[in-house]
Amino acid sequence: MIRALVISAMAVVVLSMLAAGCGAAKAPTSQVRMIAPCEGRNRTDLMGLQRVYSPAAADSCKVAIAPFDMRAWVEAPLNSHSLRGMKTLVLGCSELTPDAENCSYGGPPGRSTTLQTNFDLAVYPDAARVQKAVLAVYVHNNMAFFAQTGQLRGRLLTGDMLQSLGNPVVPSPTTPGWVLYDITAFVARAINERRNSVALELSLPCGRSEAELVTVGVLSNEPKILVEFK
């Protein structure tokens, strides 16, 4: 009898662990910080974006946050999966390396990789009057191609359809560095609705050469959302 109870308890623990691993990304149950109302204080915390961000107003607060979850989604014909813990990530479609002596390969043609991030926008005060909001992404190479073809999509709730968001603003198309996406309307709604797990997905269309791949920062120069509000 005791043995059966022990086995049942262990089964419950294992099933709980498996269920937790299969769910969508969730914000931490206890907030690391809650951002105070602006109230004309002209407060700034730009997290390294001072040189690339142009404020919309002089008497506003400008506060950036980092994602609470980041991962790469690798879309492959036989084994699609997510990866975490990368310093950088190569976006786009990559061909597989030929594995035979005659350089022929008869297997799947390659894989496509996207960057997925989750932000807790409920840390901002719900009475905030959003003046401007941007997603900042650090691009290590091929910035001109990225600015022309990169696609940013987002959703407020798990299960919602992903929607296309703003076009990128590139401070210098020829120099690697931060690229900003204007997502003001999207972020303002998320703050108003107290969304604590907003998903953003960054991708490139599939190409056929190394010239159509772009390396972006993940743990190194991680993406950030910067909100300017009153």
Side-chain angles (χ1 to χ4, degrees):
M1 181 68 176
I2 295 177
R3 182 179 178 183
L5 290 174
V6 170
I7 293 175
S8 299
M10 291 178 64
V12 170
V13 171
V14 171
L15 289 173
S16 299
M17 293 175 64
L18 291 174
C22 295
K26 296 182 179 179
T29 54
S30 60
Q31 301 291 349
V32 176
R33 63 167 178 166
M34 293 297 292
I35 299 169
C38 189
E39 298 176 338
R41 297 176 187 175
N42 195 23
R43 186 174 64 253
T44 60
D45 182 6
L46 300 183
M47 298 180 70
L49 301 176
Q50 293 88 340
R51 296 184 178 181
V52 295
Y53 180 74
S54 298
D59 58 342
S60 61
C61 292
K62 308 155 190 73
V63 183
I65 61 171
F68 67 82
D69 185 53
M70 290 186 293
R71 59 202 174 278
W73 177 252
V74 181
E75 185 73 28
L78 299 179
N79 183 17
S80 298
H81 57 283
S82 62
L83 294 173
R84 286 180 170 85
M86 306 81 60
K87 290 185 177 180
T88 61
L89 177 65
V90 177
L91 298 178
C93 283
S94 304
E95 298 292 339
L96 295 180
T97 303
D99 62 351
E101 292 183 0
N102 61 357
C103 293
S104 63
Y105 180 78
R111 66 179 184 272
S112 175
T113 307
T114 63
L115 176 63
Q116 299 178 340
T117 58
N118 286 84
F119 290 86
D120 180 2
L121 294 179
V123 298
Y124 290 96
D126 55 4
R129 290 173 288 136
V130 177
Q131 309 298 299
K132 185 178 177 181
V134 298
L135 172 71
V137 181
Y138 194 87
V139 179
H140 288 269
N141 59 6
N142 215 0
M143 182 179 281
F145 175 76
F146 175 82
Q148 184 178 6
T149 61
Q151 183 180 29
L152 176 66
R153 301 191 298 169
R155 62 187 173 200
L156 299 174
L157 285 170
T158 300
D160 280 356
M161 294 290 292
L162 287 165
Q163 58 177 294
S164 294
L165 300 177
N167 293 323
V169 177
V170 184
S172 176
T174 59
T175 305
W178 293 102
V179 173
L180 307 181
Y181 282 86
D182 190 327
I183 53 174
T184 303
F186 181 80
V187 166
R189 178 179 172 183
I191 292 174
N192 179 259
E193 296 180 359
R194 318 304 299 145
R195 300 301 182 188
N196 66 354
S197 185
V198 170
L200 296 175
E201 178 184 277
L202 193 63
S203 63
L204 290 174
C206 278
R208 293 294 179 180
S209 70
E210 292 287 324
E212 298 182 6
L213 300 176
V214 176
T215 303
V216 297
V218 185
L219 292 179
S220 174
N221 292 319
E222 63 185 344
K224 303 173 180 69
I225 284 182
L226 192 160
V227 181
E228 181 177 351
F229 63 97
K230 293 184 177 181

